[in-house]
Amino acid sequence: MSPRHEEILHTADMLRWELGEQFHDRTVEALYGDAAQIAKKAVIMPGKKTRLNFERTLDHLVTNRWTGFPLMFLLLAIVFWITIEGANVPSALLADVFLDSLYPMLKSFGENIGLPWWLNGLLFDGMYLAMAWVVSVMLPPMAIFFPLFTLAEDFGYLPRVAFNLDSMFRKSGAHGKQALTMAMGYGCNAAAIISTRIIDSPRERLIAILTNNFAICNGRWPTQILIATIFVGALAPAHLSGLVSSLAVVTVVLIGIFFTFLVSWGLSKTLLKGEASFFSLELPPYRPPRIWQTLYTSVIDRTLIVLWRAVVWALPAGAVIWLVSNIHIGGVSLAEHAVNAFDPFGILIGLNGVILLAYIIAIPANEIVIPTVLMLTVLVTKVAGVGSGAGVMFELDSELATAEVLRTGGWTLLTGVNLMLFSLLHNPCSTTLYTIYKETGSAKWTTLSAVIPLGIAFVVCFVVAVVFSAIGLT
Amino acid sequence: MEIILTIALLVGGTVAGLLWRKGSFLRAIRRDKARVQLEDALKHIYDCEYNRLACTLESVAGTLALTPDKASEVIARLNALQLVTHDGRELRLTEKGRDDALRVIRIHRLWERYLADETAVREQDWHSDADKKEHLLTPQEAGELAKRLGHPPFDPHGDPIPTEEGVIPAQRGKPLLDFHAGETLKVTHVEDEPEAVFALLVREKIFPDVVAKVAANSRKGLELETEGRMIFLSAIAAANVRAVAFEQPDIAPEASKTLLSLRLGESGRVIGISHTCRGVQRRRLMDLGIVPGTEVTAELQSVSGDPVGYNIRGATIALRRQQAEMVFIE
């Protein structure tokens, strides 16, 4: 470099300090100024000076003190109703095809081509059954819920919900858009984790990810309803039992919301204190939803990706479930060894060894927890005439029969209540954990998102168990 | 059985903890305590020269919290490395010593800039965090950090960040106490030590680039008016701030109208974002199009009244109360 060049570079270096810190601000201002000038010359805006009348009316209704929240609850209720009612038919159909027709065919096919019994069991009773179960329970609600949700988003309604709820979330250090990711979590936590991308502030996004688990996903709704009916509903007179068990489920949902706010607040004050935080929320104009595009993106981006991850996890888990039930050491299956080992701790926190083992081996999806619990209970208690053999998950047609099996397994009211709480609070399923890892790219946050809820679940269940024994209920 | 479970959990937790802290953990072991002392001493001597103060063995011992014996050992090593000379009492840096000091200072200030711009770490914690980081980053890593931050010229206290070649300009401005009543000034530097005084300045939102008018200057202290607020700074606090005279502030010292004063349907023209709004927060507001001259209309109120939706350049943007009060309008 010639001395002349060096001199120029040196001068440039010195000028940087003279320009000062506000140089960036000035540049942005100038850019906006120029852009506005150019737009003014080149763009004609015909008519539309103010916003459309109907938009104003709608916005007024949606953000009004008296109509805002009732409207929101009504829409939410409708979406859930359509999802639950609408999912029944395709779910039954898929179960019919995958579980009732294809499964026996595969089993006998395996026998016919001379597979050894253990390979036949591992492949079809274990891996195939777990996968088929996950697909038939998970796919229909997701395929209905996600498009509905995306339509509401596309129409412009959901940003208004975030707008209305922001003040509540702000107080716990979170972002109003977390209301949307929570609502998504009621459908599927894994998909909800992907949807936290709408929160662009790093701290608030991590809060939404780490607390999403407290929204019970569609794999946990049936568990909640079943256990509430068997254990809580049964306490009330027959004509009220339906109401009482629904109230129990609603209470669980509210407890979940309570923990969402509590943990959000705690995280924003401690672990996430140093993460950058800012608020921004755009309220786009209302527009007619693009139905086909919405269907395509919600089915491809959300439903199929999540389903694929669930299937990938269900296969090995199905193998594990079958193996622990069928490998024997000293004449006793691995599953029984594990159940016996977990029992003291399980009973200490008002659950039992079967439940803990079921939550470990059924980690890929909450949908298969109850079938696994039933199978393990039958395996451990050696009840005759129920179920389909060691390592084969099953469900019973009637609640009475299920209650019968669970009571034989030593379940009490406390076990029922604590299972509902544990199902609400425990760690996310492996599909969700994997999604969290993909989204955050961090082993630290993935670990915490499992450890924090699990710790809370243990503590809450333990406290409930202590309270139950203190007031003499068992 | 619980015991086994507990042990498993504890071991698992520890291993996980170690794994994710591995980076800083291993580096902490590698960190050479002696090197840290040498670098800290160089930095101190450089500070003295920059502020035209005499640097002595005692001041080194005081700043590094060492016994005089230990301090003279450190200085002897610096001398042997030809980084420092001394004529009797006063210590001076050699050319090489100054380069080394500037390298450490560059990393320190870049890191403070990073903490200010890209994290929500408290102002009071910037300095101590950067004190550790300055010994850990290599010059290459510092170069990458500078590139990522857009080669910032100043740290968040207003101190210039030396270039890679070790170029640094002379100090700007004069002490705040030298300004008279009626003068308008722009803060150029806020000293971050001692921490108690700095915390007080942070609480009063005195940052570089804040523009203020001196309302009164007496022996007790200084009264300032800025962005519609009156601030009293004791003489001790004011002594830690430097400023330059400044004639045309975008936000007048007595300005008081912000977006908060708009009722639904009303509009205002932006004159600027408060200079106490910094880092990501400020960039974000500017990215939304909130720059001087932008017309903003309050359009929509949420159920609880906060946030409020504003029409900014044709888009409806919800801003929280705490953001709206940062935007000054005509």
Side-chain angles (χ1 to χ4, degrees):
Chain A
M1 239 188 315
S2 73
R4 184 95 186 106
H5 284 129
E6 268 176 43
E7 200 183 313
I8 293 173
L9 284 176
H10 182 76
T11 317
D13 270 343
M14 298 310 281
L15 282 174
R16 281 174 354 108
W17 287 296
E18 263 172 58
L19 276 174
E21 215 170 348
Q22 285 169 327
F23 179 57
H24 173 255
D25 288 16
R26 295 288 104 84
T27 312
V28 173
E29 284 164 24
L31 285 175
Y32 265 104
D34 283 355
Q37 283 292 325
I38 295 169
K40 207 171 172 184
K41 273 189 217 152
V43 183
I44 314 160
M45 297 215 253
K48 207 181 166 189
K49 263 275 182 198
T50 51
R51 298 191 311 146
L52 293 172
N53 250 341
F54 110 94
E55 280 195 44
R56 283 171 178 278
T57 323
L58 202 53
D59 260 341
H60 181 73
L61 270 178
V62 161
T63 59
N64 186 277
R65 188 185 299 251
W66 304 109
T67 50
F69 286 138
L71 208 62
M72 182 183 85
F73 286 120
L74 186 72
L75 277 170
L76 208 62
I78 293 176
V79 167
F80 277 117
W81 185 79
I82 296 179
T83 305
I84 292 167
E85 284 298 309
N88 278 339
V89 180
S91 253
L93 197 73
L94 284 174
D96 214 40
V97 173
F98 281 128
L99 302 177
D100 298 339
S101 310
L102 216 50
Y103 167 60
M105 272 165 61
L106 281 169
K107 279 278 283 193
S108 56
F109 170 76
E111 273 161 34
N112 285 342
I113 60 165
L115 286 182
W117 73 270
W118 58 268
L119 190 56
N120 205 4
L122 179 67
L123 283 180
F124 301 124
D125 290 341
M127 297 168 76
Y128 170 78
L129 203 55
M131 183 205 75
W133 214 295
V134 168
V135 171
S136 62
V137 188
M138 209 169 180
L139 180 58
M142 287 208 302
I144 297 173
F145 184 75
F146 291 151
L148 286 179
F149 201 82
T150 319
L151 283 179
E153 192 177 5
D154 207 30
F155 174 62
Y157 178 63
L158 292 188
R160 267 82 180 169
V161 172
F163 180 55
N164 278 334
L165 291 176
D166 182 65
S167 64
M168 278 163 77
F169 284 90
R170 190 187 61 235
K171 281 169 197 141
S172 55
H175 193 295
K177 283 183 190 165
Q178 194 177 329
L180 308 186
T181 64
M182 263 173 84
M184 188 73 118
Y186 288 115
C188 170
N189 295 125
I193 298 300
I194 298 178
S195 79
T196 59
R197 288 176 191 171
I198 59 172
I199 303 175
D200 47 6
S201 167
R203 186 200 294 172
E204 284 78 359
R205 178 161 183 225
L206 276 172
I207 291 179
I209 289 177
L210 293 176
T211 58
N212 191 267
N213 168 63
F214 299 124
I216 41 177
C217 64
N218 76 47
R220 292 184 274 170
W221 285 105
T223 308
Q224 297 287 349
I225 294 167
L226 178 74
I227 302 298
T229 312
I230 294 177
F231 289 96
V232 187
L235 295 177
H239 65 283
L240 285 178
S241 69
L243 183 68
V244 170
S245 36
S246 329
L247 279 180
V249 176
V250 171
T251 311
V252 166
V253 172
L254 292 179
I255 293 174
I257 293 174
F258 168 76
F259 272 103
T260 302
F261 283 115
L262 185 74
V263 175
S264 298
W265 178 81
L267 284 171
S268 70
K269 291 275 175 288
T270 55
L271 283 174
L272 297 175
K273 213 170 59 182
E275 298 285 330
S277 158
F278 51 83
F279 177 80
S280 77
L281 171 62
E282 194 185 337
L283 303 170
Y286 293 105
R287 60 169 178 217
R290 295 156 298 180
I291 298 194
W292 292 112
Q293 196 175 342
T294 304
L295 269 178
Y296 177 81
T297 51
S298 58
V299 168
I300 301 296
D301 290 355
R302 293 178 171 163
T303 314
L304 287 188
I305 285 182
V306 172
L307 193 70
W308 171 243
R309 285 184 187 169
V311 166
V312 167
W313 281 97
L315 289 171
V320 170
I321 291 173
W322 191 86
L323 287 174
V324 293
S325 318
N326 284 283
I327 295 180
H328 292 74
I329 295 178
V332 182
S333 69
L334 271 182
E336 283 166 272
H337 278 298
V339 167
N340 289 335
F342 291 147
D343 246 344
F345 180 69
I347 287 168
L348 181 77
I349 60 169
L351 296 168
N352 59 41
V354 166
I355 297 174
L356 292 183
L357 180 62
Y359 270 103
I360 293 172
I361 57 181
I363 198 174
N366 282 291
E367 281 84 352
I368 54 174
V369 166
I370 287 294
T372 310
V373 164
L374 288 174
M375 183 274 287
L376 288 173
T377 307
V378 170
L379 185 76
V380 172
T381 56
K382 318 256 187 302
V383 194
V386 194
S388 327
V392 189
M393 294 179 288
F394 67 92
E395 250 174 356
L396 292 160
D397 291 336
S398 84
E399 279 146 13
L400 268 179
T402 310
E404 190 70 33
V405 172
L406 293 180
R407 293 227 161 80
T408 319
W411 285 47
T412 60
L413 174 63
L414 171 65
T415 325
V417 169
N418 268 359
L419 180 78
M420 288 174 78
L421 290 170
F422 194 77
S423 158
L424 166 74
L425 300 170
H426 80 287
N427 55 289
C429 65
S430 57
T431 312
T432 304
L433 287 173
Y434 178 63
T435 309
I436 292 176
Y437 182 71
K438 281 268 169 180
E439 290 295 311
T440 60
S442 142
K444 173 184 170 181
W445 297 123
T446 312
T447 314
L448 280 174
S449 67
V451 173
I452 294 172
L454 194 60
I456 293 175
F458 283 151
V459 171
V460 170
C461 285
F462 176 70
V463 170
V464 172
V466 170
V467 170
F468 262 62
S469 78
I471 58 175
L473 269 170
T474 47
Chain B
M1 196 57 222
E2 294 101 288
I3 300 168
I4 297 178
L5 266 178
T6 320
I7 292 172
L9 275 177
L10 280 178
V11 172
T14 319
V15 170
L18 284 182
L19 278 180
W20 92 51
R21 299 228 40 176
K22 192 176 66 185
S24 56
F25 186 62
L26 290 183
R27 250 177 269 157
I29 292 178
R30 258 189 273 138
R31 192 163 88 190
D32 180 358
K33 208 176 156 206
R35 182 172 62 88
V36 169
Q37 265 176 2
L38 295 184
E39 289 181 350
D40 282 343
L42 282 178
K43 217 172 55 159
H44 168 68
I45 303 170
Y46 181 85
D47 270 348
C48 294
E49 289 189 357
Y50 194 72
N51 292 313
R52 306 214 175 94
L53 300 168
C55 188
T56 61
L57 180 68
E58 288 77 28
S59 73
V60 170
T63 311
L64 272 66
L66 296 174
T67 60
D69 283 354
K70 198 85 187 101
S72 65
E73 246 174 65
V74 170
I75 289 174
R77 283 194 58 192
L78 286 174
N79 199 335
L81 290 166
Q82 294 185 332
L83 299 172
V84 167
T85 59
H86 51 88
D87 52 347
R89 266 182 68 76
E90 197 170 333
L91 301 167
R92 282 185 186 288
L93 291 172
T94 63
E95 195 65 29
K96 191 161 166 287
R98 193 164 300 118
D99 271 359
D100 276 10
L102 280 172
R103 207 194 61 237
V104 179
I105 288 170
R106 174 175 156 83
I107 300 173
H108 181 100
R109 294 183 179 169
L110 273 173
W111 192 255
E112 287 189 326
R113 186 83 247 171
Y114 162 74
L115 293 177
D117 280 4
E118 312 224 331
T119 71
V121 172
R122 285 192 322 154
E123 282 90 346
Q124 291 93 309
D125 298 333
W126 292 345
H127 186 74
S128 54
D129 201 26
D131 261 347
K132 288 187 210 107
K133 218 50 181 195
E134 67 192 13
H135 307 295
L136 299 177
L137 289 187
T138 64
Q140 284 85 344
E141 285 171 319
E144 274 159 37
L145 184 65
K147 197 170 154 200
R148 198 176 126 195
L149 296 172
H151 299 284
F154 294 100
D155 79 357
H157 306 296
D159 282 319
I161 299 174
T163 61
E164 227 162 320
E165 294 78 30
V167 182
I168 191 164
Q171 204 170 30
R172 292 178 298 168
K174 54 181 184 177
L176 204 56
L177 287 167
D178 291 356
F179 286 87
H180 303 292
E183 279 184 290
T184 305
L185 54 86
K186 182 164 91 169
V187 175
T188 54
H189 178 241
V190 178
E191 180 56 46
D192 55 4
E193 284 175 312
E195 208 188 304
V197 177
F198 180 59
L200 188 136
L201 291 167
V202 167
R203 206 162 51 236
E204 295 291 359
K205 296 190 180 151
I206 300 288
F207 300 120
D209 285 338
V210 162
V211 175
K213 199 165 119 186
V214 182
N217 185 351
S218 67
R219 212 172 322 149
K220 275 187 293 173
L222 209 61
E223 206 165 344
L224 293 173
E225 184 174 22
T226 173
E227 297 177 358
R229 296 180 296 142
M230 288 300 278
I231 301 169
F232 178 77
L233 291 181
S234 66
I236 295 175
N240 274 4
V241 181
R242 295 175 75 87
V244 291
F246 194 69
E247 289 312 322
Q248 291 134 346
D250 47 356
I251 303 169
E254 54 281 344
S256 62
K257 266 189 88 174
T258 66
L259 285 185
L260 274 190
S261 49
L262 291 180
R263 272 175 302 179
L264 285 191
E266 288 181 350
S267 305
R269 193 177 290 275
V270 174
I271 52 176
I273 302 171
S274 163
H275 288 287
T276 61
C277 174
R278 315 198 302 154
V280 209
Q281 302 271 359
R282 184 181 190 84
R283 270 208 310 276
R284 197 68 206 165
L285 287 177
M286 298 192 73
D287 292 346
L288 292 172
I290 302 181
V291 293
T294 304
E295 178 106 355
V296 177
T297 313
E299 204 165 60
L300 201 61
Q301 207 164 40
S302 64
V303 171
S304 68
D306 175 18
V308 170
Y310 295 95
N311 188 317
I312 301 166
R313 294 182 185 269
T316 309
I317 309 279
L319 295 180
R320 287 178 175 172
R321 200 185 164 78
Q322 170 236 347
Q323 293 172 297
E325 69 184 8
M326 293 289 187
V327 180
F328 285 84
I329 52 171
E330 273 169 21

